[in-house]
Amino acid sequence: MSDRECTVVLYSDDPQVRDRMRLAVGTRPAPGLQLEFVEASSYAEVVRLVDDYEIDLLLLDGEATPGGGIGIARQIKDDRADAPPTCVVIARAADRWLA
């Protein structure tokens, strides 16, 4: 049986945050699943990747500036009927209710 390959967008304006997200998930998070990560550092890059490629998951930094992950997630969900599943990483405990 071959591995299922999925593409994950890592979005943050901070390269260190993208690295930490990649390390937290890992390239093989489950048996039979292989992940490929593509990076974006701006809202426009996220939209381009979603438009041009088959994306299986958006992993967005809620603390990114100027476009935060929550706003980007909402905009993509509003604009696309086929929006990929989305996870927004938040750092502040006070922001949990937003998730």
Side-chain angles (χ1 to χ4, degrees):
M1 182 173 141
S2 65
D3 287 346
R4 178 172 176 231
E5 295 182 17
C6 295
T7 303
V8 177
V9 171
L10 298 175
Y11 164 70
S12 180
D13 62 322
D14 184 341
Q16 290 180 342
V17 172
R18 292 192 304 266
D19 286 341
R20 281 184 261 158
M21 289 191 297
R22 180 184 305 102
L23 289 172
V25 174
T27 56
R28 298 187 63 86
L33 180 62
Q34 177 75 34
L35 300 183
E36 173 191 8
F37 295 101
V38 291
E39 296 188 16
S41 61
S42 70
Y43 169 74
E45 288 178 39
V46 174
V47 170
R48 182 185 56 78
L49 289 168
V50 171
D51 286 344
D52 293 347
Y53 300 97
E54 185 176 328
I55 302 299
D56 298 293
L57 175 67
L58 295 174
L59 189 54
L60 309 174
D61 177 9
E63 309 295 320
T65 59
I70 293 171
I72 291 173
R74 182 79 251 151
Q75 191 63 49
I76 289 175
K77 297 286 185 185
D78 286 347
D79 290 348
R80 302 180 60 97
D82 63 342
T86 304
C87 178
V88 178
V89 177
I90 56 174
R92 298 179 338 142
D95 290 336
R96 283 188 211 159
W97 68 274
L98 293 169

